[in-house]
Amino acid sequence: DIQMTQSPSTVSASVGDRVTITCRASQSINLWLAWYQQKPGKAPKTLIYKASNLESGVPSRFSGSGSGTDFTLTISSLQPDDFATYYCQQYSTNAATFGQGTKVEIK
Amino acid sequence: EVQLVESGGDLVQPGRSLTLSCTASGFIFGDYAVNWVRQAPGKGLEWVGFIRSRRFGDIKEYAASVKGRFTIARDDSKRIAYLQMDSLKTEDTALYFCTRGPHAFCSSQSCHSDYWGQGTLVTVSS
């Protein structure tokens, strides 16, 4: 299976900060990467698919980039509603896999 | 409005079986894949498996951790997907989510999730 490694595991940031989360695949996944946001006690919410495509209704401060093995999720100006855990997922192979998650916490 | 509602979660003993259901509404169920994703208490997300739509061959794929024990099925006439879990282990304890997989944006091998249910809790313990 393809291993997905996110960094950092935790990021402490303030409202208005630019936040970048990295996701690295153990082998090339082309553009087959999605990003999800999860708040405590809630189901995940889909943010981005195919590396850089924003799901409908997702604020434009979220953006995704990358291809092959290296990907990033960027929040251009962190808002109070953005404090959550973020997961990447590859769906390039017949065994999709998630990263371990990155928690964005209040500094 | 797209809705996915999981049901069937329960407390079961190791080695026993349990079947989860995912009832869909608000979209043409037969046009979409269905993923199952689980989350153990305090842990991250784990992909369990998925089933493509009939138009894409009803193909099913499973994570190595559940292959041979779990079976995914769907009944498009009832708009329900199922996750049958046999030979349950304590490590299968988790919140189980069903999600919608949009074929238009899937890879040739699997799908991401665009909509998620709220999950149903499975606890495996003696």
Side-chain angles (χ1 to χ4, degrees):
Chain A
D1 289 0
I2 295 178
Q3 306 303 313
M4 305 300 293
T5 304
Q6 290 182 231
S7 60
S9 297
T10 305
V11 56
S12 298
S14 302
V15 172
D17 284 353
R18 181 182 183 89
V19 172
T20 298
I21 298 168
T22 297
C23 181
R24 176 164 288 175
S26 60
Q27 66 189 72
S28 177
I29 58 170
N30 295 308
L31 295 174
W32 303 113
L33 186 97
W35 289 97
Y36 305 95
Q37 176 195 66
Q38 188 179 33
K39 297 179 181 179
K42 299 291 188 182
K45 172 187 174 182
T46 307
L47 300 176
I48 286 168
Y49 64 96
K50 209 173 179 184
S52 62
N53 294 273
L54 219 58
E55 281 284 353
S56 175
V58 174
S60 59
R61 62 181 180 273
F62 290 94
S63 64
S65 64
S67 65
T69 60
D70 294 312
F71 300 85
T72 58
L73 172 70
T74 300
I75 309 172
S76 61
S77 177
L78 198 66
Q79 298 302 300
D81 192 47
D82 301 338
F83 291 98
T85 300
Y86 294 83
Y87 295 92
C88 63
Q89 181 202 26
Q90 69 79 18
Y91 52 105
S92 172
T93 66
N94 63 357
T97 46
F98 287 91
Q100 81 278 16
T102 294
K103 184 177 181 179
V104 177
E105 62 179 27
I106 301 172
K107 190 172 184 179
Chain B
E1 179 193 5
V2 172
Q3 283 198 316
L4 298 162
V5 179
E6 303 91 339
S7 59
D10 203 350
L11 169 63
V12 294
Q13 293 179 326
R16 303 300 289 266
S17 298
L18 191 67
T19 299
L20 307 183
S21 299
C22 170
T23 303
S25 61
F27 64 100
I28 302 173
F29 182 69
D31 285 352
Y32 290 83
V34 174
N35 294 293
W36 287 93
V37 176
R38 68 184 181 184
Q39 187 168 37
K43 302 296 184 182
L45 301 173
E46 180 187 14
W47 178 82
V48 172
F50 91 121
I51 182 168
R52 287 194 181 272
S53 70
R54 178 164 296 179
R55 184 158 61 99
F56 286 86
D58 256 358
I59 292 170
K60 304 161 195 175
E61 302 285 0
Y62 301 93
S65 58
V66 306
K67 204 167 191 176
R69 300 188 299 121
F70 288 14
T71 304
I72 297 173
R74 62 189 297 156
D75 185 334
D76 290 351
S77 67
K78 295 182 179 178
R79 308 169 63 85
I80 299 178
Y82 302 96
L83 178 64
Q84 180 181 333
M85 304 182 292
D86 298 323
S87 303
L88 281 162
K89 305 176 181 180
T90 54
E91 52 263 42
D92 295 320
T93 293
L95 186 63
Y96 284 74
F97 298 100
C98 78
T99 82
R100 192 179 82 165
H103 275 302
F105 304 109
C106 294
S107 75
S108 61
Q109 299 295 315
S110 59
C111 296
H112 78 290
S113 301
D114 63 355
Y115 284 90
W116 295 66
Q118 289 304 304
T120 187
L121 182 63
V122 174
T123 304
V124 184
S125 175
S126 54

